[in-house]
Amino acid sequence: MPAWSDSLRFAFQPVVNLSTGAIVAQEILARPESGDVLAEARRDPELDGSVAAFAVRAAARQETLLPLHVNVFAATVADLGGLAALRDAVHRAGRLPWEVTVDLGPPFTHVPQRALLEGVAALRGEGFRICADGVGDGDVPLRLLVDLAPELIKLDASLLSRTAGVHAMRALAEQLGALLGVEGVETERQHAAALAAGAQLGQGQLFAPPSRRPAADVYVPVIEAAGTAATAPDGAHDGPPVRQFVRPAALLPAAASAGRVRGLLTGAPDVSGVLLVDTRGVPVRAVDRDRFLLSLSGRYGHALYADRPAARLADEPRTVGVDATAWEVLDLLADGERSRTGDDVAVVDGEGRCVGVVRLADLVRALAESRVEEAAGLNPLTRLPGSDAITAEVDRWIARGRHFALSWLDVDGFKQVNDGAGFAAGDALIREVGAALQGV
């Protein structure tokens, strides 16, 4: 009699960083060719855990280096023993737990909330990351969502037509320290709406459809002047949050040999460096691609280093917290050695574990675009922000759920100046008022 696994196939769909266009992870989707395994898995935690384990093994056969998203029903996580197969599969695949995000899916109704929270705490304690999936079209209670404190909240694309709801979820995500993603994106209009609402990640047919092999490239629409607000650092570190630019990190155990690092780098030309991490996922050494390969390519380089720890050819890692801004990363690079200015910077969570890396080129591009956008919004006479720039900034503060005050300055009798002395005199007066405001 054929087993249920004989008819189970898997497809991969990329998770895309909306700011950089980079693929940051692959979600593994179960695709039964016959029967209704997923309906049975919804009722059977052990079966659901076995499906998740099969998904990890399918990814291992594809040799993808990207982080993985694995779908699991909430009831399975509430059953503390339901994910033993997943843990074993991750270990056997040579994956580290923090490279795997558990996408927690509905239904949540009738799932014991205390048991669910205990299950999530156990997974998180082992290093797994948690995603609340299908928010906006599922049945997850808001109180439970807050208690779960997921690292990622995935919104259903249908919520994009309800702007207030998306802005509220963006504010909640910021309070929880979570990333915000949108799944099911099919049109460029939805992509623009997701970006405008502050979502960092996206999935859907627009970027790439699910496929039997992990996608290497995705389509991401180019949106002019889509940068985020960036203010020059006068003592305060404003600017776009670094989490918008996080790319997947290439991770290896701290004791990895130079030969193993070389194999990873030569097999993945787009990887610019490797982070060596301890058993908790905390970066302990950083390997730069160019300097490392140059050392190995020299005379006797391979013979000297190949079987020895790669840490000998590595540097101290540069790290920033996940709540840092782009300006803070630039400050970190500017204060370091000139030879390492172009190195990747590791982004770490509150436990010091690596959640990804940021590249200098991504930050410089985003800050340059925001400067152009900022300049375009200036009043040509006063060189102060005009109505469009002020409106955009107010929208951003509202989206973040932050309190603020807004005041307007009116020049009494200004119309009489224009009518009596002419528009040139009125323009001169505006410039004088602008200079006075800038002076104070």
Side-chain angles (χ1 to χ4, degrees), residues 285-307:
R285 301 291 284 173
V287 176
D288 175 72
R289 179 189 189 91
D290 293 338
R291 292 196 297 274
F292 178 83
L293 293 180
L294 184 63
S295 297
L296 256 65
S297 64
R299 192 175 185 183
Y300 309 123
H302 188 271
L304 285 172
Y305 298 114
D307 296 325

Side-chain angles (χ1 to χ4, degrees), residues 276-327:
L276 305 178
V277 297
D278 65 15
T279 55
R280 296 176 298 134
V282 176
V284 293
R285 301 291 284 173
V287 176
D288 175 72
R289 179 189 189 91
D290 293 338
R291 292 196 297 274
F292 178 83
L293 293 180
L294 184 63
S295 297
L296 256 65
S297 64
R299 192 175 185 183
Y300 309 123
H302 188 271
L304 285 172
Y305 298 114
D307 296 325
R308 297 185 178 182
R312 296 190 177 193
L313 298 176
D315 302 290
E316 287 293 323
R318 291 179 168 180
T319 62
V320 295
V322 72
D323 294 322
T325 68
W327 287 113

